Amino acid sequence: GRARNMAVIVQDVAAVRSGTMETSTKLFELHAGTRVQVKAQKNGYLKIRLAKGRIGWVKLGDAKVI
């Protein structure tokens, strides 16, 4: 596949967490239309990286791989 998979946030507000659980610490929020780089997928979550280098996990349904 491509070396660089991208995704776009599709929910109005998506919580970016420190891990792949509902109880994982919420680090920050992203809004619909935000593009992120996909690093990994696990337990129904995507590990994403922002342009500024921030990394976290979002629910699969909150983002769509493009």
Side-chain angles (χ1 to χ4, degrees):
R2 291 179 304 164
R4 231 181 120 146
N5 284 329
M6 300 297 289
V8 63
I9 301 299
V10 291
Q11 289 293 341
D12 288 341
V13 178
V16 182
R17 300 188 182 277
S18 61
T20 59
M21 290 186 299
E22 197 66 55
T23 51
S24 298
T25 305
K26 185 159 120 181
L27 304 175
F28 51 93
E29 289 177 343
L30 292 177
H31 296 86
T34 307
R35 284 173 182 253
V36 293
Q37 192 177 348
V38 178
K39 307 296 282 182
Q41 187 174 328
K42 187 172 126 190
N43 299 345
Y45 281 77
L46 287 176
K47 185 178 192 180
I48 55 127
R49 181 179 187 277
L50 285 167
K52 295 170 191 160
R54 291 198 289 182
I55 289 178
W57 297 84
V58 292
K59 266 194 194 147
L60 211 41
D62 289 351
K64 180 174 175 230
V65 178
I66 51 175

